[in-house]
Short mmCIF file of all heavy atoms in Angstrom, two decimals:
data_model
loop_
_atom_site.label_atom_id
_atom_site.label_comp_id
_atom_site.label_asym_id
_atom_site.label_seq_id
_atom_site.Cartn_x
_atom_site.Cartn_y
_atom_site.Cartn_z
N THR A 1052 -117.92 -85.82 103.69
CA THR A 1052 -119.16 -85.90 104.46
C THR A 1052 -120.34 -86.22 103.50
O THR A 1052 -120.48 -85.52 102.51
CB THR A 1052 -119.43 -84.60 105.26
OG1 THR A 1052 -118.32 -84.38 106.07
CG2 THR A 1052 -120.72 -84.72 106.04
N PRO A 1053 -121.16 -87.23 103.81
CA PRO A 1053 -122.35 -87.47 102.96
C PRO A 1053 -123.30 -86.31 103.00
O PRO A 1053 -123.54 -85.71 104.04
CB PRO A 1053 -122.92 -88.73 103.52
CG PRO A 1053 -121.86 -89.37 104.32
CD PRO A 1053 -120.97 -88.24 104.84
N VAL A 1054 -123.83 -85.95 101.88
CA VAL A 1054 -124.82 -84.83 101.77
C VAL A 1054 -126.00 -85.34 100.99
O VAL A 1054 -125.99 -86.35 100.32
CB VAL A 1054 -124.18 -83.57 101.06
CG1 VAL A 1054 -123.02 -83.01 101.85
CG2 VAL A 1054 -123.66 -83.95 99.66
N THR A 1055 -127.07 -84.55 101.10
CA THR A 1055 -128.31 -84.83 100.33
C THR A 1055 -128.53 -83.70 99.38
O THR A 1055 -127.79 -82.68 99.36
CB THR A 1055 -129.48 -85.00 101.28
OG1 THR A 1055 -129.69 -83.78 102.02
CG2 THR A 1055 -129.24 -86.13 102.26
N SER A 1056 -129.58 -83.82 98.60
CA SER A 1056 -129.89 -82.77 97.63
C SER A 1056 -130.29 -81.46 98.33
O SER A 1056 -130.11 -80.39 97.75
CB SER A 1056 -131.04 -83.19 96.74
OG SER A 1056 -131.41 -82.20 95.84
N ASP A 1057 -130.80 -81.53 99.55
CA ASP A 1057 -131.21 -80.38 100.28
C ASP A 1057 -130.06 -79.70 101.07
O ASP A 1057 -130.04 -78.47 101.26
CB ASP A 1057 -132.40 -80.66 101.27
CG ASP A 1057 -133.60 -81.19 100.53
OD1 ASP A 1057 -133.80 -80.77 99.35
OD2 ASP A 1057 -134.33 -82.00 101.09
N THR A 1058 -129.17 -80.49 101.59
CA THR A 1058 -128.03 -79.99 102.37
C THR A 1058 -126.79 -79.66 101.59
O THR A 1058 -125.85 -79.08 102.20
CB THR A 1058 -127.70 -80.94 103.52
OG1 THR A 1058 -127.29 -82.19 102.96
CG2 THR A 1058 -128.96 -81.20 104.42
N ALA A 1059 -126.70 -80.10 100.37
CA ALA A 1059 -125.47 -79.91 99.61
C ALA A 1059 -125.39 -78.49 99.10
O ALA A 1059 -126.36 -77.79 98.86
CB ALA A 1059 -125.44 -80.85 98.45
N HIS A 1060 -124.10 -78.02 98.93
CA HIS A 1060 -123.81 -76.73 98.39
C HIS A 1060 -123.01 -76.96 97.15
O HIS A 1060 -121.95 -77.65 97.13
CB HIS A 1060 -123.03 -75.85 99.37
CG HIS A 1060 -123.78 -75.43 100.54
ND1 HIS A 1060 -124.23 -74.11 100.76
CD2 HIS A 1060 -124.31 -76.10 101.64
CE1 HIS A 1060 -124.87 -74.03 101.90
NE2 HIS A 1060 -124.99 -75.21 102.42
N ILE A 1061 -123.43 -76.31 96.01
CA ILE A 1061 -122.68 -76.37 94.76
C ILE A 1061 -121.76 -75.15 94.72
O ILE A 1061 -122.18 -74.00 94.71
CB ILE A 1061 -123.69 -76.36 93.62
CG1 ILE A 1061 -124.65 -77.56 93.75
CG2 ILE A 1061 -122.89 -76.49 92.26
CD1 ILE A 1061 -124.01 -78.91 93.80
N HIS A 1062 -120.47 -75.42 94.63
CA HIS A 1062 -119.45 -74.39 94.61
C HIS A 1062 -118.86 -74.24 93.27
O HIS A 1062 -118.53 -75.23 92.58
CB HIS A 1062 -118.29 -74.70 95.62
CG HIS A 1062 -117.22 -73.74 95.68
ND1 HIS A 1062 -117.38 -72.40 96.09
CD2 HIS A 1062 -115.93 -73.85 95.36
CE1 HIS A 1062 -116.24 -71.78 96.00
NE2 HIS A 1062 -115.35 -72.61 95.54
N HIS A 1063 -118.68 -73.00 92.83
CA HIS A 1063 -118.03 -72.66 91.56
C HIS A 1063 -116.52 -72.48 91.82
O HIS A 1063 -116.09 -71.53 92.44
CB HIS A 1063 -118.62 -71.33 90.95
CG HIS A 1063 -119.99 -71.49 90.47
ND1 HIS A 1063 -121.09 -71.63 91.31
CD2 HIS A 1063 -120.48 -71.52 89.24
CE1 HIS A 1063 -122.20 -71.70 90.56
NE2 HIS A 1063 -121.86 -71.68 89.32
N PHE A 1064 -115.73 -73.49 91.35
CA PHE A 1064 -114.32 -73.36 91.64
C PHE A 1064 -113.63 -72.31 90.74
O PHE A 1064 -112.62 -71.79 91.10
CB PHE A 1064 -113.65 -74.76 91.28
CG PHE A 1064 -114.01 -75.81 92.34
CD1 PHE A 1064 -115.02 -76.66 92.07
CD2 PHE A 1064 -113.34 -75.89 93.54
CE1 PHE A 1064 -115.35 -77.65 92.98
CE2 PHE A 1064 -113.70 -76.81 94.46
CZ PHE A 1064 -114.72 -77.78 94.21
N VAL A 1065 -114.24 -72.03 89.63
CA VAL A 1065 -113.74 -70.93 88.74
C VAL A 1065 -114.87 -69.92 88.66
O VAL A 1065 -115.92 -70.24 88.10
CB VAL A 1065 -113.33 -71.45 87.32
CG1 VAL A 1065 -112.83 -70.32 86.49
CG2 VAL A 1065 -112.29 -72.54 87.47
N GLN A 1066 -114.64 -68.76 89.24
CA GLN A 1066 -115.77 -67.75 89.18
C GLN A 1066 -115.92 -67.14 87.87
O GLN A 1066 -115.03 -67.23 87.02
CB GLN A 1066 -115.42 -66.67 90.23
CG GLN A 1066 -115.26 -67.16 91.70
CD GLN A 1066 -114.89 -66.06 92.67
OE1 GLN A 1066 -114.84 -64.91 92.27
NE2 GLN A 1066 -114.69 -66.42 93.91
N ARG A 1067 -117.06 -66.57 87.66
CA ARG A 1067 -117.36 -65.98 86.33
C ARG A 1067 -116.41 -64.85 86.00
O ARG A 1067 -116.08 -64.67 84.84
CB ARG A 1067 -118.84 -65.50 86.34
CG ARG A 1067 -119.86 -66.62 86.33
CD ARG A 1067 -121.25 -66.08 86.17
NE ARG A 1067 -122.25 -67.13 86.15
CZ ARG A 1067 -122.60 -67.84 85.09
NH1 ARG A 1067 -122.07 -67.58 83.94
NH2 ARG A 1067 -123.48 -68.80 85.16
N LYS A 1068 -116.01 -64.09 86.95
CA LYS A 1068 -115.08 -63.01 86.72
C LYS A 1068 -113.72 -63.46 86.32
O LYS A 1068 -112.88 -62.70 85.85
CB LYS A 1068 -115.00 -62.06 87.93
CG LYS A 1068 -114.43 -62.73 89.20
CD LYS A 1068 -114.38 -61.73 90.34
CE LYS A 1068 -113.82 -62.35 91.56
NZ LYS A 1068 -113.77 -61.36 92.72
N HIS A 1069 -113.41 -64.73 86.60
CA HIS A 1069 -112.13 -65.34 86.22
C HIS A 1069 -112.30 -66.25 85.02
O HIS A 1069 -111.43 -67.10 84.80
CB HIS A 1069 -111.55 -66.08 87.36
CG HIS A 1069 -111.20 -65.23 88.59
ND1 HIS A 1069 -111.22 -65.68 89.89
CD2 HIS A 1069 -110.84 -63.93 88.64
CE1 HIS A 1069 -110.89 -64.69 90.68
NE2 HIS A 1069 -110.71 -63.60 89.96
N GLY A 1070 -113.39 -66.11 84.31
CA GLY A 1070 -113.58 -66.97 83.09
C GLY A 1070 -114.40 -68.17 83.31
O GLY A 1070 -114.51 -69.07 82.42
N GLY A 1071 -115.01 -68.30 84.51
CA GLY A 1071 -115.85 -69.47 84.77
C GLY A 1071 -117.25 -69.40 84.12
O GLY A 1071 -117.66 -68.32 83.60
N SER A 1072 -117.97 -70.48 84.13
CA SER A 1072 -119.32 -70.50 83.59
C SER A 1072 -120.12 -71.56 84.34
O SER A 1072 -119.68 -72.02 85.42
CB SER A 1072 -119.25 -70.86 82.09
OG SER A 1072 -118.66 -72.14 81.89
N ALA A 1073 -121.26 -71.99 83.80
CA ALA A 1073 -122.12 -72.93 84.51
C ALA A 1073 -121.82 -74.37 84.02
O ALA A 1073 -122.71 -75.20 84.12
CB ALA A 1073 -123.59 -72.59 84.17
N ARG A 1074 -120.61 -74.67 83.65
CA ARG A 1074 -120.27 -75.98 83.21
C ARG A 1074 -120.14 -76.91 84.40
O ARG A 1074 -119.80 -76.49 85.52
CB ARG A 1074 -118.92 -75.97 82.47
CG ARG A 1074 -119.00 -75.48 81.05
CD ARG A 1074 -117.63 -75.26 80.44
NE ARG A 1074 -116.75 -76.36 80.70
CZ ARG A 1074 -115.47 -76.31 80.29
NH1 ARG A 1074 -115.00 -75.28 79.66
NH2 ARG A 1074 -114.65 -77.36 80.55
N TYR A 1075 -120.48 -78.20 84.18
CA TYR A 1075 -120.41 -79.15 85.25
C TYR A 1075 -119.01 -79.38 85.79
O TYR A 1075 -118.81 -79.57 86.96
CB TYR A 1075 -120.96 -80.49 84.80
CG TYR A 1075 -122.47 -80.50 84.50
CD1 TYR A 1075 -122.97 -80.00 83.29
CD2 TYR A 1075 -123.37 -81.01 85.42
CE1 TYR A 1075 -124.32 -80.00 82.99
CE2 TYR A 1075 -124.74 -80.97 85.14
CZ TYR A 1075 -125.20 -80.50 83.94
OH TYR A 1075 -126.55 -80.46 83.70
N ASP A 1076 -118.02 -79.35 84.95
CA ASP A 1076 -116.69 -79.72 85.26
C ASP A 1076 -115.96 -78.69 86.12
O ASP A 1076 -114.91 -78.96 86.69
CB ASP A 1076 -115.85 -80.12 84.10
CG ASP A 1076 -115.84 -78.98 83.08
OD1 ASP A 1076 -116.68 -78.10 83.19
OD2 ASP A 1076 -114.98 -79.01 82.11
N ILE A 1077 -116.48 -77.47 86.24
CA ILE A 1077 -115.84 -76.49 87.10
C ILE A 1077 -116.74 -76.17 88.33
O ILE A 1077 -116.56 -75.13 88.98
CB ILE A 1077 -115.54 -75.20 86.33
CG1 ILE A 1077 -116.80 -74.61 85.74
CG2 ILE A 1077 -114.51 -75.47 85.29
CD1 ILE A 1077 -116.63 -73.31 85.01
N GLN A 1078 -117.68 -77.07 88.61
CA GLN A 1078 -118.48 -76.91 89.82
C GLN A 1078 -118.37 -78.21 90.62
O GLN A 1078 -118.14 -79.28 90.02
CB GLN A 1078 -120.00 -76.70 89.44
CG GLN A 1078 -120.21 -75.36 88.77
CD GLN A 1078 -121.65 -75.17 88.43
OE1 GLN A 1078 -122.51 -76.03 88.70
NE2 GLN A 1078 -121.98 -74.01 87.88
N GLY A 1079 -118.52 -78.08 91.87
CA GLY A 1079 -118.34 -79.30 92.75
C GLY A 1079 -119.20 -79.23 93.99
O GLY A 1079 -119.78 -78.14 94.33
N THR A 1080 -119.33 -80.39 94.64
CA THR A 1080 -120.17 -80.47 95.83
C THR A 1080 -119.38 -80.25 97.11
O THR A 1080 -118.29 -80.86 97.23
CB THR A 1080 -120.78 -81.90 95.89
OG1 THR A 1080 -121.51 -82.12 94.66
CG2 THR A 1080 -121.80 -82.04 97.02
N LEU A 1081 -119.87 -79.39 98.00
CA LEU A 1081 -119.28 -79.18 99.29
C LEU A 1081 -120.39 -79.21 100.34
O LEU A 1081 -121.55 -78.94 100.04
CB LEU A 1081 -118.58 -77.79 99.36
CG LEU A 1081 -117.34 -77.62 98.44
CD1 LEU A 1081 -116.86 -76.16 98.60
CD2 LEU A 1081 -116.27 -78.60 98.78
N CYS A 1082 -119.97 -79.56 101.50
CA CYS A 1082 -120.93 -79.45 102.67
C CYS A 1082 -121.02 -78.00 103.12
O CYS A 1082 -120.25 -77.16 102.67
CB CYS A 1082 -120.50 -80.37 103.80
SG CYS A 1082 -118.90 -79.97 104.48
N SER A 1083 -122.01 -77.76 104.01
CA SER A 1083 -122.23 -76.43 104.44
C SER A 1083 -121.05 -75.83 105.20
O SER A 1083 -120.64 -74.67 105.06
CB SER A 1083 -123.52 -76.36 105.30
OG SER A 1083 -123.33 -77.19 106.42
N ARG A 1084 -120.37 -76.69 106.04
CA ARG A 1084 -119.22 -76.19 106.82
C ARG A 1084 -118.01 -75.85 105.85
O ARG A 1084 -117.43 -74.77 106.03
CB ARG A 1084 -118.79 -77.34 107.78
CG ARG A 1084 -117.63 -76.88 108.70
CD ARG A 1084 -117.29 -77.95 109.73
NE ARG A 1084 -116.95 -79.20 108.99
CZ ARG A 1084 -116.64 -80.36 109.61
NH1 ARG A 1084 -116.72 -80.41 110.90
NH2 ARG A 1084 -116.32 -81.41 108.91
N CYS A 1085 -117.70 -76.73 104.90
CA CYS A 1085 -116.57 -76.44 103.98
C CYS A 1085 -116.86 -75.28 103.07
O CYS A 1085 -116.00 -74.48 102.76
CB CYS A 1085 -116.27 -77.70 103.20
SG CYS A 1085 -115.62 -79.05 104.13
N HIS A 1086 -118.17 -75.15 102.62
CA HIS A 1086 -118.52 -74.08 101.75
C HIS A 1086 -118.41 -72.76 102.48
O HIS A 1086 -117.98 -71.71 101.94
CB HIS A 1086 -119.89 -74.27 101.22
CG HIS A 1086 -120.23 -73.31 100.10
ND1 HIS A 1086 -121.12 -72.26 100.24
CD2 HIS A 1086 -119.85 -73.28 98.82
CE1 HIS A 1086 -121.27 -71.63 99.09
NE2 HIS A 1086 -120.46 -72.18 98.25
N THR A 1087 -118.80 -72.70 103.78
CA THR A 1087 -118.66 -71.50 104.53
C THR A 1087 -117.16 -71.11 104.74
O THR A 1087 -116.82 -69.96 104.64
CB THR A 1087 -119.37 -71.62 105.90
OG1 THR A 1087 -120.70 -72.02 105.77
CG2 THR A 1087 -119.23 -70.37 106.73
N SER A 1088 -116.31 -72.12 104.98
CA SER A 1088 -114.86 -71.89 105.10
C SER A 1088 -114.29 -71.31 103.85
O SER A 1088 -113.41 -70.47 103.88
CB SER A 1088 -114.16 -73.14 105.59
OG SER A 1088 -114.68 -73.61 106.79
N VAL A 1089 -114.74 -71.83 102.66
CA VAL A 1089 -114.21 -71.35 101.41
C VAL A 1089 -114.70 -69.94 101.18
O VAL A 1089 -113.94 -69.06 100.72
CB VAL A 1089 -114.66 -72.27 100.26
CG1 VAL A 1089 -114.27 -71.64 98.91
CG2 VAL A 1089 -114.00 -73.60 100.41
N THR A 1090 -115.94 -69.64 101.49
CA THR A 1090 -116.45 -68.32 101.29
C THR A 1090 -115.80 -67.27 102.16
O THR A 1090 -115.56 -66.13 101.71
CB THR A 1090 -117.99 -68.31 101.57
OG1 THR A 1090 -118.62 -69.30 100.77
CG2 THR A 1090 -118.61 -66.95 101.24
N THR A 1091 -115.50 -67.59 103.42
CA THR A 1091 -114.82 -66.71 104.29
C THR A 1091 -113.32 -66.74 104.17
O THR A 1091 -112.57 -66.11 104.93
CB THR A 1091 -115.17 -67.01 105.74
OG1 THR A 1091 -114.83 -68.38 106.02
CG2 THR A 1091 -116.64 -66.81 106.01
N GLN A 1092 -112.81 -67.48 103.14
CA GLN A 1092 -111.35 -67.61 102.86
C GLN A 1092 -110.61 -68.23 103.96
O GLN A 1092 -109.34 -68.05 104.10
CB GLN A 1092 -110.78 -66.23 102.52
CG GLN A 1092 -111.34 -65.63 101.25
CD GLN A 1092 -110.71 -64.30 100.88
OE1 GLN A 1092 -109.86 -63.77 101.61
NE2 GLN A 1092 -111.14 -63.74 99.74
N ALA A 1093 -111.24 -68.95 104.85
CA ALA A 1093 -110.56 -69.77 105.85
C ALA A 1093 -110.05 -71.09 105.29
O ALA A 1093 -109.10 -71.66 105.89
CB ALA A 1093 -111.48 -70.05 107.03
N LEU A 1094 -110.57 -71.46 104.16
CA LEU A 1094 -110.16 -72.70 103.48
C LEU A 1094 -109.88 -72.41 102.03
O LEU A 1094 -110.76 -71.77 101.37
CB LEU A 1094 -111.20 -73.81 103.64
CG LEU A 1094 -110.93 -75.11 102.90
CD1 LEU A 1094 -109.71 -75.81 103.41
CD2 LEU A 1094 -112.17 -76.03 103.00
N ALA A 1095 -108.74 -72.77 101.54
CA ALA A 1095 -108.39 -72.56 100.14
C ALA A 1095 -108.30 -73.87 99.41
O ALA A 1095 -107.54 -74.74 99.80
CB ALA A 1095 -107.10 -71.79 100.01
N LEU A 1096 -109.12 -74.04 98.40
CA LEU A 1096 -109.11 -75.29 97.60
C LEU A 1096 -108.34 -75.07 96.30
O LEU A 1096 -108.69 -74.09 95.63
CB LEU A 1096 -110.55 -75.75 97.30
CG LEU A 1096 -111.43 -76.09 98.55
CD1 LEU A 1096 -112.81 -76.49 98.14
CD2 LEU A 1096 -110.73 -77.18 99.38
N CYS A 1097 -107.41 -75.91 96.04
CA CYS A 1097 -106.63 -75.81 94.77
C CYS A 1097 -107.40 -76.52 93.69
O CYS A 1097 -107.74 -77.73 93.84
CB CYS A 1097 -105.22 -76.37 94.94
SG CYS A 1097 -104.19 -75.48 96.16
N PHE A 1098 -107.62 -75.85 92.59
CA PHE A 1098 -108.35 -76.43 91.48
C PHE A 1098 -107.45 -76.44 90.24
O PHE A 1098 -106.95 -75.37 89.85
CB PHE A 1098 -109.62 -75.61 91.17
CG PHE A 1098 -110.49 -76.16 90.07
CD1 PHE A 1098 -111.24 -77.28 90.27
CD2 PHE A 1098 -110.47 -75.54 88.81
CE1 PHE A 1098 -112.01 -77.78 89.24
CE2 PHE A 1098 -111.28 -76.03 87.81
CZ PHE A 1098 -112.07 -77.16 88.00
#
């Protein structure tokens, strides 16, 4: 889904507690619906 700078959600595929950081390559763009599904564990993204 096309997103803009205001509607986009930046998701951390590798959380800090699992060794993640603020690097660009472990963050990605998600829309609000997909980001909500990932947060509520209704959608699992393989990284």
Side-chain angles (χ1 to χ4, degrees):
T1052 303
V1054 295
T1055 62
S1056 178
D1057 298 330
T1058 61
H1060 290 250
I1061 304 300
H1062 177 65
H1063 290 72
F1064 290 98
V1065 182
Q1066 301 179 3
R1067 291 185 179 274
K1068 63 181 180 180
H1069 296 150
S1072 61
R1074 284 169 46 182
Y1075 291 82
D1076 54 347
I1077 58 177
Q1078 296 180 358
T1080 304
L1081 295 178
C1082 63
S1083 59
R1084 182 179 58 183
C1085 294
H1086 191 254
T1087 303
S1088 301
V1089 172
T1090 305
T1091 57
Q1092 298 182 356
L1094 175 64
L1096 298 179
C1097 297
F1098 182 75

